[in-house]
Amino acid sequence: MTENLNNSSNSQKAMLLLNAARLQHRFLNEYIYSYPESLWLEAENLWDKLNFPEIVKQRLRKLLDRNWAERETERLQKSGINFVSANDKEYPDKLRNIHNPPIGIYINGKWEKFTESNSIGIVGTRRCSSYGRHVAYSLGEALSIEGISVVSGGALGIDAAAHNGCIKTGGATVSVLGTGINLVYPQKHKDLFKKITENGALVTEYPFGVQGNPWHFPERNRIIVGLSDRLVVVEAPVDSGAMISARLALEAGIEIWSVPGQITDKIAMGTNKLLRDGANVLADISEFIEIVGGAGNQFLLPFSNESAKNTITGSERTILQILSQSGNKTVDDIMAESKMSLQQVQFCLSSLIASEFVFLSGPGRFSASG
C-alpha cells in the first residue's frame, strides 16, 4: 500500500514537473509512466535518451534545484485544487485528440458534473456588440436547460455572457484560463469565477501564480476546443483568438457553428468568413438546441423591447417593415422591394431570424413574427 502511494505521489510530481517545463505531450514515454522517479533519479541521462528539447532540460534543472514540485504539491493540498495528468483516468479522452494536448490540467470546482454531460464551446470577441452578448447569453441559458455544458475562456464579452447564461439556470460551465488557477483575470470576474466553481470548474494548464502573458490566451484555446463536442463562434474579427479556436477545431475534426453578422462590422468578419468557408449557420437557437440536444424544445432570445430596437440596423428595419406589411415573401421578393443585394438580404434575414423577429413561413419564404 505504501509503495502504491509513493508511486502515485511520484507520478504526480513527475507530471507537474513536465507540465511546468512545457514539455510537449508527444515526448511522454511509457517508461516515465512506469518509473516516474526516473525523471529526477536518472535526470540528464533520461532526458537525453528521450530527446527532450534543450529549453525543457534547462527548465527541469531549475525546477528540481528549487524543489518546486514538492512546493506545488503542498499548494494543491492546501487549496483543494486538483491536478489531472495525461496518465490519470479522469483526464478527458477528447482532450487527447487535439494537437499537443496538455500534460496536465489544474481543476478548481465540480469537474465530475462536466464530464457527465456533452459540452459546447462558445467563443468570441471581448469587444462584442449588445446583439452578440445577448446571443451568447441565450445560448448558454438554452444549453444549460438542455443539460449540455458550456465551455469558454472566462474573458470579457462573449465568454462572460455564455458563462452567465449557463449559470442562470444552474448549468455546468467550464472556464479555461490563461493564468495560474489561483489568479483572477480579468479582476472584475472574481464573482463570476466563484459562481463557476459552484456548479462547474475553472481549468488551466498553468501552475500556481503564473500571470496572464499575452501568448497564453491563444495557447489555451486548444484546450477549449479539446473539451468541446462542438464549437460555436458568436462574434469574431478575422485576426482574433476565436478564429484560432475555429482553426484548431477544424484540424481536430470538431463541428463548427457560426452566428451570422452584419457584413460591415469588423467584429463579424471572422464569423461571416467561417460561414463562407462552410461552417454551420446558427441562425435559430431552438433549431440548434434540437440538433445538439435532440429535444426540440422552443427557446426564445430574451430581448426586451428596448434592447431589441437597439440591435436592429437600418437594413434590417427595412426588411422587417416589408415583411410586416405583407409576409410569406421569398428572398427575390425582398431584394426587389428593398433594392438590396442577395448577400445583404441573407445576412439581415439571418440576424432577424436569430432574434425571433422573422420566421420561415414556408419553403424559402419569410414572414414577420409580430
Side-chain angles (χ1 to χ4, degrees), residues 19 23 72 87 96 102 133 158 193 226 245 290 304 332 358:
N19 182 70
L23 181 74
E72 188 77 346
N87 63 333
R96 302 180 196 275
R133 187 176 292 106
I158 297 300
F193 286 6
S245 296
E290 183 174 357
S304 65
D332 287 340
V358 168

Side-chain angles (χ1 to χ4, degrees), residues 15-26:
M15 294 300 110
L16 283 167
L17 283 165
L18 293 173
N19 182 70
R22 313 301 298 145
L23 181 74
Q24 290 197 348
H25 188 278
R26 63 189 176 90

